[in-house]
């Protein structure tokens, strides 16, 4: 398998955590970063040895050395940046929430289909080992018929 080269749009707390995770994967690496706060982007690039820092998202999207884009910016910019990235030929991982409304979400999905690119959401908990084990047990029928489930989340304070 080849290396998937990621460009990150946004260098806030979620991007920092996600960039660390991408760089831990043997087939992926963060190769570029862009944030409106240039100092924050530069610091993340320094901390993670990210070779390129861009001033604008459009510059990052135009880089042929980037295969996929991770978008972690304020919610109101999600779909606009997603569509630009897809139209530039990039796969997209988009932080949640997906869009501001159904029409925006539909527009992003249709753009991904037309571009022939992957659009996925940063629903990271679905990949946690305990969640994957639970899913396997459900699929095996080991828990019987599931008719109710309850979930909760712990956050740092």
């Amino acid at each position: 398998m080849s290396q998937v080269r990621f460009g990150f749009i946004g260098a806030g707390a979620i991007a920092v955590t996600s960039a660390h995770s991408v760089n831990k994967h043997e087939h992926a690496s963060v190769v570029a970063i862009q944030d409106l706060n240039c100092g924050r982007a530069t610091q993340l690039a320094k901390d993670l040895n990210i070779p390129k820092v861009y001033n604008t998202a459009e510059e990052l999207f135009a880089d042929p050395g980037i295969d996929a884009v991770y978008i972690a910016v304020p919610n109101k910019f999600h779909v606009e940046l997603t569509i630009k990235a897809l139209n530039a030929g990039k796969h997209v991982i988009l932080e949640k929430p997906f869009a501001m409304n159904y029409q925006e979400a539909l527009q992003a999905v249709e753009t991904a289909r037309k571009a022939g690119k992957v659009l996925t959401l940063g629903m990271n908990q679905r990949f946690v080992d305990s969640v994957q084990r639970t899913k396997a047990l459900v699929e095996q029928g080991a828990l019987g018929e599931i008719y109710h489930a309850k979930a909760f989340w712990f956050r740092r304070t």
Side-chain angles (χ1 to χ4, degrees):
M1 176 182 236
S2 63
Q3 191 81 359
V4 178
R5 301 162 299 178
F6 277 88
F8 268 56
I9 305 295
I14 291 172
V16 171
T17 302
S18 298
H20 279 284
S21 295
V22 167
N23 281 339
K24 286 180 187 176
H25 195 285
E26 65 180 315
H27 298 294
S29 63
V30 181
V31 299
I33 182 88
Q34 185 275 327
D35 192 287
L36 293 179
N37 180 328
C38 187
R40 188 165 59 185
T42 301
Q43 186 61 53
L44 183 56
K46 180 181 173 188
D47 293 346
L48 295 182
N49 198 27
I50 299 170
K52 297 177 185 175
V53 177
Y54 286 104
N55 292 318
T56 69
E58 289 76 17
E59 290 173 336
L60 186 143
F61 298 152
D63 185 337
I66 294 172
D67 306 304
V69 176
Y70 190 105
I71 298 174
V73 298
N75 306 343
K76 67 182 181 177
F77 302 113
H78 282 184
V79 172
E80 174 189 346
L81 290 168
T82 295
I83 289 170
K84 286 179 180 180
L86 291 165
N87 285 333
K90 311 301 183 196
H91 301 288
V92 175
I93 297 178
L94 177 59
E95 262 308 322
K96 55 198 172 300
F98 183 7
M100 300 300 287
N101 55 55
Y102 173 76
Q103 289 303 330
E104 281 190 3
L106 186 61
Q107 188 179 11
V109 169
E110 288 174 354
T111 302
R113 284 187 185 134
K114 287 177 187 171
K117 296 298 174 185
V118 173
L119 168 61
T120 191
L121 302 182
M123 302 295 289
N124 56 339
Q125 293 305 305
R126 74 177 130 191
F127 300 110
V128 172
D129 287 341
S130 60
V131 173
Q132 290 296 305
R133 285 194 302 272
T134 302
K135 182 177 184 282
L137 289 171
V138 169
E139 288 175 349
Q140 294 165 10
L143 302 176
E145 180 185 354
I146 305 296
Y147 58 89
H148 178 80
K150 185 175 181 178
F152 57 93
W153 182 262
F154 288 108
R155 280 191 64 94
R156 315 177 285 286
T157 55

